[in-house]
Amino acid sequence: MTSTESKPSSVDRPQLIQQLRNSLRPGQQEMGDWQGGLLAVSAVPGSGKSTGMAIAAALTIARQRLHPRHQLIIVTFTRSAAANIKAKIRQNLELLKLPKWGFSVQTIHGLAFKIAGRHPDLAQLDLDQQSLVEANQTHRLIRICVEQWITNHPQAYQQLIAGLEFDGEDAERLRRQSVLRTDVLPNLAHTVIQEAKSSGLSPDDLHRLGQLQGDPYAILNIAAGLYRLYQEQMRSQQLIDYDDAIIAALKVLQDPNIRDLWQRETFAVFEDEAQDSSPLQQQLLDTLAQNPDGTANLIRVGDPNQAINSTFTPADPIYFRRFCRHCAQHHQRTTIQRAGRSSPILIEAANFTLNWINQQWVKPASVPSSRDRQTQPPSPAIKSPPPFQVQMIEPVTADDPQPNANPDPIAGGLELHRPQDISESVDRLGQKVSDLFEQYPQASAAVLVRQKKQGNFVASELDQYHNHLNIYNVEAEERLSGIPLEMLNLLQFLHRPHSREAVKAALEVLVDHQLIPRQDLDRLASIPEQFLYPTILEAPQPPEVRQARHLCRCLLQARLELPQTHLIGFLALTLNYNASELATADKLNERLLQQTSDRLSLEEILDNLTRLVNSERFDRVETDASESKYTQPGQLTILTMHKAKGLDWDCVFLPFLQENNIPGELYVKPQMQFLGHFTLDEVARGQIRQHLWNRDAADNEPDNEPSQNCQSYDDYWQLAEQLKKAEDYRLFYVAMTRAKRFLWLSAAKNAPFTWNNLQNPQPFPASPPFNALWEEYYGQ
């Protein structure tokens, strides 16, 4: 045998393992040293948790000699994160001179489909016959279920119409019916189906839970009925959703032989972004990670301070916090606190913000209800824990292996501004971006906003006054995929102008494009004929109604005068589409005409468009052949704070930090207030969450758990307000920690009450943490 052939046997693998282990930071090293059991890892922003997880995975594969039939499962939140960690693990295995096997990286839903697909009989899923439901299909199914529920439960429906009080007036009855059909009941169904399925609750479970609640509307009973109808619709149309996949996988693992097979094939489970897990997801991972002796090989990595999805998705950070507390009691918890992403001044600002918010939270006046001027103060029993776990970001040490860790700040690192209005705020922002790019042409920069409309406003203002900037507005690019639905809503109105649902959907499109003022659309849509063609006996319509009526009648006139082949082009021009949007609308029109045998049939065009919206993804037209990246050097990216999680830029700009924006408030639309000063969907969410908190409680510390003593609608609403406020503060913290070298904050003294109407700005105080930062760094 030649020396080259014998070389692999001479590899000093223990030394290579030690070298790789030594590249880890404190906190990461505990992951690298792990050899079995439970481990909770709480990691601060920018601490390199995915890098640490990838090295820990490679070290585990090496020590345990894992292979495809006895492997490590790594579960991530997104497919892109899965691809990133997979590449890092393969690179580390190459450094260790090991085959690139012994592990599997996938999303939780990908893992569930894999388990269910291997055992279709037990899973009771036929993936060849069943389709994954799309978002637009979900909305359509929910509308069908709402109508069925109304037909089947006339007495409960009438109780909702009556609300708190009702004088029996016909116009008001029609308005309330429209609100219930198009807003209240669909929102309730969407929220409860998400919450219940992701927690493993069936319609019967929900109904039994509703029986225990003393509520006049019987909200959970209504929700259980909608949920049951939805499941029937899904089965009849051979549709499944992601939660069905997890439920099917758990059903497979109930078989002792199959469960034993999967557990033998799985040495351990590593979970990333554990703060975003739902109870059902945790149950699946716990089952796979279990050993024959009842112990489990499981590492959960996350950051409860970056939990920003729990108030609009079923994810709830309480479960990761509980896991961390349980592991801490058994010395199985570690924290990765050293982070090399940001300059020291930015780390200091983030830590100050976290501490200040937590300190204010415990003060009695720090968590007011949005209705505290109208109702009594919140009950002392209704409370939630402080928004943040006390976990400070620390700079890395001088010998840290990360290149350019804790980089020097640029332009002082931190700036705060108090302009007169939002236009001045964007003007100052644009000037600063120009100056920075002139000095640092390869820097990356981003504007992070709370709402999509704010991002569009920033892009419009910068395009007008700073058009030399290279701007990538993520919302504008992604909005192209919504064009088919907008066309469908407007064409359905042209086809059925007497339909209340069609009128309201069309009006919402017009409001969204700011072609008509925002107003009570349910009142307009409740009697379409009276809105569109009022008689001389009707009371004069206010200006905003006349404007909406005029535009709708112009659309109907075009329907009579234009060929069907021109309608989509006309509607696109009416909505003031830009060049890329117009090109996408033209592509849509061409595709529909190819599928329509009789080009004069609007009904056939609508049928084809409905199928496309419900079952396909329509590719947008890119005006630029090269696809821009969010973090491209020399580019200013505009996107929401939620989308920014997991990304970072040299320079980050946070405008519009008024108190009504960070933190925002839960809001009850005026047209819904006949039911009370709460929404049915938030009350139902609170009822389900409280049940789950109580059901899954273990070794809970009362001071660190949300209130479990809610008794009334007001109690659940006040708890929902507190949880939302805490999450908004965490969102602000996440946005701050995206910056590597420069952070720019602005709170205009005057701002719009709503970003649907930028006229008549009002004085607004700055966000409380903004004021605290101002005092800390500017001393005023």
Side-chain angles (χ1 to χ4, degrees), residues 412-450:
L414 181 67
E415 282 189 17
L416 285 81
H417 292 259
R418 282 291 272 147
Q420 281 299 120
D421 55 36
I422 58 174
S423 292
E424 184 184 344
S425 184
V426 178
D427 187 54
R428 291 191 192 185
L429 185 158
Q431 190 58 55
K432 190 66 182 183
V433 173
S434 299
D435 294 343
L436 289 173
F437 278 158
E438 184 176 350
Q439 190 173 0
Y440 304 94
Q442 292 304 303
S444 59
V447 179
L448 308 184
V449 293
R450 186 71 177 82

Side-chain angles (χ1 to χ4, degrees), residues 741-760:
R741 304 182 66 190
F742 179 76
L743 177 63
W744 187 95
L745 311 174
S746 173
K749 296 176 182 177
N750 296 283
F753 178 76
T754 170
W755 283 82
N756 293 310
N757 182 6
L758 302 185
Q759 305 301 316
N760 303 318

Side-chain angles (χ1 to χ4, degrees), residues 332-378:
Q332 297 169 315
R333 177 182 181 272
T334 187
T335 302
I336 309 177
Q337 290 189 253
R338 293 183 184 173
R341 171 186 293 163
S342 303
S343 301
I345 187 174
L346 301 184
I347 291 176
E348 178 187 272
N351 287 338
F352 169 83
T353 302
L354 182 153
N355 273 326
W356 184 87
I357 290 172
N358 266 13
Q359 290 167 5
Q360 296 300 308
W361 195 265
V362 299
K363 297 180 180 179
S366 66
V367 192
S369 165
S370 66
R371 291 170 287 111
D372 59 2
R373 292 179 297 276
Q374 307 171 31
T375 62
Q376 297 178 355

Side-chain angles (χ1 to χ4, degrees), residues 512-574:
D512 189 53
H513 285 268
Q514 299 183 357
L515 296 174
I516 61 173
R518 182 163 290 278
Q519 52 199 292
D520 187 350
L521 302 183
D522 292 289
R523 187 174 292 279
L524 303 188
S526 60
I527 311 178
E529 297 85 353
Q530 184 175 307
F531 159 57
L532 292 169
Y533 300 101
T535 67
I536 58 174
L537 300 178
E538 305 290 344
Q541 296 176 331
E544 63 273 14
V545 176
R546 292 200 301 271
Q547 185 178 343
R549 181 191 69 194
H550 174 73
L551 184 52
C552 287
R553 287 171 62 165
C554 287
L555 296 180
L556 292 172
Q557 186 68 25
R559 160 77 175 87
L560 298 175
E561 296 179 356
L562 293 176
Q564 315 295 346
T565 54
H566 289 55
L567 283 178
I568 287 180
F570 168 77
L571 294 173
L573 291 171
T574 301

